[in-house]
């Protein structure tokens, strides 16, 4: 099948499919004599696997590791379990971060409950004060798998 057909079957944009090829999550397809890519059912299955992993907020390196582990079906599944446990801990940490974010936003919103000018806005003052704290927190963010979820990656 052609890339457009694959994109339609998986609801994954063509650009994303090409990106997954580029970073090695999806094997390169065969080429027809006219140079067009020809995808097989194995590509479809791999893309659907990647899509399911991404829907669970797994990082590219986590998906890559799961793919590597799936290529040795007779191996012990302890590594898969450990990867999932690590990811689950990351999700729990993110939930805590989101709860803290919610509290901070609520506090900021309370700072501007009275009508006034933008110059007197408590929200803007609070946001300016928060910038320094947020910059230091972003450097401390734990990753799923070491080296993943760095700024600009996903």
């Amino acid at each position: 099948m052609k890339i457009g057909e694959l994109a339609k079957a998986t609801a994954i944009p063509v650009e994303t499919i090409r990106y997954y090829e580029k970073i090695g999550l999806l094997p390169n397809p065969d080429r027809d004599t006219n140079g067009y890519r020809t995808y097989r059912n194995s590509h479809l299955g791999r893309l659907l696997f990647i899509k399911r992993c991404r829907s669970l907020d797994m990082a590219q390196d986590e998906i890559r590791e799961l793919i590597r582990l799936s290529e040795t079906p007779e191996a012990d599944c302890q590594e898969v379990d450990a990867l999932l446990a690590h990811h689950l801990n990351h999700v729990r940490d993110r939930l805590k971060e989101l709860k803290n974010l919610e509290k901070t936003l609520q506090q900021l919103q309370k700072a501007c409950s009275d009508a006034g000018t933008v110059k007197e806005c408590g929200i803007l003052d609070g946001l300016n004060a928060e910038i320094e704290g947020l910059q230091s927190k972003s450097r401390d963010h734990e990753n799923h798998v070491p080296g993943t979820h760095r700024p600009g990656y996903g």
Side-chain angles (χ1 to χ4, degrees):
M1 76 182 82
K2 302 290 181 234
I3 196 166
E5 295 169 307
L6 187 62
K8 186 175 181 179
T10 59
I12 296 173
V14 168
E15 298 80 20
T16 303
I17 294 171
R18 288 188 180 129
Y19 176 70
Y20 289 156
E21 287 176 32
K22 180 180 175 185
I23 64 170
L25 284 179
L26 187 66
N28 289 326
D30 296 328
R31 296 267 182 176
D32 285 339
T33 54
N34 60 8
Y36 288 112
R37 295 174 170 100
T38 302
Y39 295 89
R40 297 179 304 247
N41 283 333
S42 60
H43 290 99
L44 176 66
R46 173 72 62 89
L47 275 173
L48 292 173
F49 178 82
I50 293 167
K51 184 176 181 177
R52 285 189 294 272
C53 291
R54 292 296 298 140
S55 74
L56 296 171
D57 196 36
M58 290 188 173
Q60 292 171 3
D61 284 345
E62 289 173 314
I63 298 168
R64 187 173 283 107
E65 182 64 10
L66 287 173
I67 290 168
R68 184 191 70 76
L69 292 167
S70 72
E71 291 171 350
T72 54
E74 302 303 318
D76 188 335
C77 73
Q78 288 295 92
E79 289 183 68
V80 175
D81 184 58
L83 189 145
L84 188 65
H86 192 270
H87 181 67
L88 183 57
N89 285 332
H90 173 79
V91 169
R92 289 176 176 145
D93 289 343
R94 293 279 318 267
L95 287 170
K96 290 176 193 171
E97 290 172 7
L98 288 172
K99 283 288 188 191
N100 288 334
L101 175 61
E102 180 183 35
K103 288 177 188 175
T104 300
L105 290 171
Q106 288 171 341
Q107 290 169 350
L108 283 171
Q109 193 172 34
K110 287 179 186 176
C112 199
S113 58
D114 298 329
T117 64
V118 171
K119 186 168 87 174
E120 301 167 327
C121 182
I123 293 174
L124 294 176
D125 287 342
L127 287 172
N128 284 325
E130 288 287 321
I131 289 173
E132 293 168 4
L134 290 175
Q135 288 173 342
S136 65
K137 283 182 186 177
S138 69
R139 290 185 205 111
D140 297 336
H141 186 69
E142 284 290 319
N143 293 320
H144 297 235
V145 172
T148 63
H149 282 282
R150 295 179 302 245
Y153 293 85

